Amino acid sequence: MALAGTGVFAEILDSEVYRYYADGEWRSSASGKSVAIVNPTTRKTQYRVQACTQEEVNKAMDAAKVAQKAWARTPLWKRAELLHKAAAILKEHKAPIAECLVKEIAKPAKDAVSEVVRSGDLVSYTAEEGVRILGEGKLLVSDSFPGNERNKYCLSSKIPLGVVLAIPPFNYPVNLAVSKIGPALIAGNALVLKPPTQGAVAALHMVHCFHLAGFPKGLISCVTGKGSEIGDFLTMHPGVNCISFTGGDTGIAISKKAGMVPLQMELGGKDACIVLEDADLDLVSANIVKGGFSYSGQRCTAVKVVLIMESIADAVVQKVNAKLAKLKVGPPEDDSDITPVVTESSANFIEGLVMDAKEKGATFCQEYRREGNLIWPLLLDHVRPDMRIAWEEPFGPVLPVIRINSVEEGIHHCNASNFGLQGCIFTRDINKAILISDAMETGTVQINSAPARGPDHFPFQGLKDSGIGSQGITNSINMMTKVKSTVINLPSPSYTMG
């Protein structure tokens, strides 16, 4: 039974097309056009969303600017209270939102539910954290700098930036939306959300939870539509004071076009897993399977290349293959481990990488198998650096293994990548782990575990083409504020008596 667009969510649906959200109301676009969202499993249109016009974007921006001024004057505890309320409503309606994730992005049902619950927890944590860090400023005195007496007191605090544009990716359209929305709102900003096409309906349901919580009208808007029509228009809009983007190489184009605004970007990775000879091989193989194949490898922090010492490679490959054989492949409704990848073009891209590896002589540990967008899990052994899959990000259930003869070789391959999101090391020797970790040019290194973005309050950042700025709840709040100073000039130096 379908839950999406029914009950409390009935008002977000206009007969066949989901409405967009602006100025506190659910609206249908004047364009009269819609964008189809294709279910990756059935490859048929599942939902439709409004194709918003540039004029509608302008109106949302204008409303955001007005609403933000009043919101910045709303007491911090009240902002936090509304976020806690939204978090509770989000968790209460996890079923319909999870249903959208299953149908739009083929996320396995249990993972879809946990994404929504995790998102509610993130919003609550953000409210708590914001109340603490924004409630505290700094006092500086002038006499610490040479030649000054103590006749100036500087009070510094954090103030909002204005309007934040949030652009989340298809793979976590709810969680990576609230990780931008929560920090923006608690810090006193307004927010304009441009959801990904695949995942837009889940995002609209999530936004409705914020609407039901009673946020002031105009403060939050969610505009849907074609990237070609409103993408650049949004990112280059003079009303935008900050852009938080998670996705692929589009981010590089955005950073070239965006105005003088702070950018927070996470643009994917080629996370390397370096396995040393003294590693726990059962732990390694479990993490390679989890890290490389959960959500069919469609995660920025998925293990995307295994760099393994030759002497233990056969044993680990054998263990991984045994685990891959047990994975359930099929539709997300059945809680399969491996589900269809998000679009046909993604599947074709993955296939291109596989065919290139085949031509160049990689060892196929399984037979390559594809039906529609569904690709069976595949481990490629004896991959060499001249193969595309050694460097490119497949974003699918295909994982290359490169055999190495020294740790240095592994570090070199990791650092030769244009990406630098995360990486991981498996060893029982903590000294080696720290030395290798320091040598790896990635935003995070995991020791004895597959890469992961969470818990959501941990800093999350990428080097090189993996992005700019840092996420994680605290870092995002700080990034979405600026420092304001007030200096008190005293008529004569003042020193504490005593």
Side-chain angles (χ1 to χ4, degrees), residues 95 150 171 175 196 246 255 275 436 440 465:
R150 189 176 297 196
N171 57 352
N175 186 261
T246 306
S255 68
V275 187
I436 298 167
M440 289 169 78
D465 287 354

Side-chain angles (χ1 to χ4, degrees), residues 287-310:
N287 273 277
I288 287 174
V289 173
K290 184 181 114 202
F293 296 92
S294 67
Y295 189 39
S296 307
Q298 298 176 107
R299 293 162 41 250
C300 302
T301 56
V303 169
K304 306 225 172 86
V305 58
V306 177
L307 302 161
I308 187 163
M309 295 294 279
E310 180 71 62

